[in-house]
């Protein structure tokens, strides 16, 4: 890592690669919606599919990708698989971005318009 004037060091390439991969997974509206739902508490795949309006197999596949990336965890409760976000920093990241873009702030509104214009 390289020292910078603000006292922060640049992260190693491996960390940037892992972060880009995680953000890439969250670039899917469906997966981001699942993360938002799980940021509010654990749930099984059936409830999540109902909440996000997705087909059960598709939601299950999204959850598998998020789980493989380490963004969500799961545990078995009888016949149900219950999903959760185990890392409070991930919960914070998702909540901050969503509330920032949906909040009454003029900056959030301007950011939303800029993102839509650029196709991001």
């Amino acid at each position: 890592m390289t020292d910078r004037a603000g006292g922060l060091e640049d992260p190693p390439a491996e960390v940037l690669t892992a972060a880009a991969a995680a953000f890439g997974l969250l670039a899917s509206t469906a997966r981001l919606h699942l993360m938002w739902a799980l940021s509010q508490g654990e749930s099984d795949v059936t409830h999540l599919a109902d909440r996000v309006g997705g087909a059960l197999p598709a939601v299950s596949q999204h959850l598998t990708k998020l789980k493989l990336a380490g963004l969500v965890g799961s545990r078995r409760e009888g016949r149900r698989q219950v999903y959760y976000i185990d890392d409070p920093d991930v919960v914070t990241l998702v909540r901050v971005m969503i509330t920032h873009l949906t909040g009454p702030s003029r900056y959030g509104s301007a950011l939303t318009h800029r993102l839509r214009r650029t196709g991001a």
Side-chain angles (χ1 to χ4, degrees):
M1 289 204 265
T2 307
D3 286 328
R4 295 288 173 208
L8 297 176
E9 298 178 352
D10 288 342
E14 311 83 59
V15 171
L16 291 170
T17 300
F23 280 119
L25 280 171
L26 297 178
S28 158
T29 304
R31 285 191 289 269
L32 188 56
H33 196 171
L34 289 168
M35 293 296 289
W36 172 256
L38 290 172
S39 78
Q40 297 171 43
E42 57 187 36
S43 185
D44 66 16
V45 68
T46 303
H47 178 74
L48 288 167
D50 288 343
R51 181 164 178 181
V52 303
L56 196 62
V59 170
S60 183
Q61 288 179 0
H62 286 306
L63 289 166
T64 297
K65 288 180 182 183
L66 293 168
K67 186 176 177 183
L68 287 171
L71 295 173
V72 301
S74 69
R75 71 172 185 284
R76 178 113 0 236
E77 278 188 4
R79 298 182 70 208
R80 294 179 344 142
Q81 190 78 9
V82 176
Y83 292 88
Y84 56 89
I85 300 176
D86 199 26
D87 186 340
D89 291 335
V90 172
V91 170
T92 300
L93 175 71
V94 170
R95 286 183 178 177
V96 165
M97 182 52 78
I98 298 295
T99 56
H100 176 74
L101 293 173
T102 58
S105 131
R106 287 180 29 216
Y107 175 74
S109 220
L111 176 62
T112 302
H113 291 294
R114 282 194 308 268
L115 290 172
R116 285 187 184 139
R117 269 199 325 258
T118 62

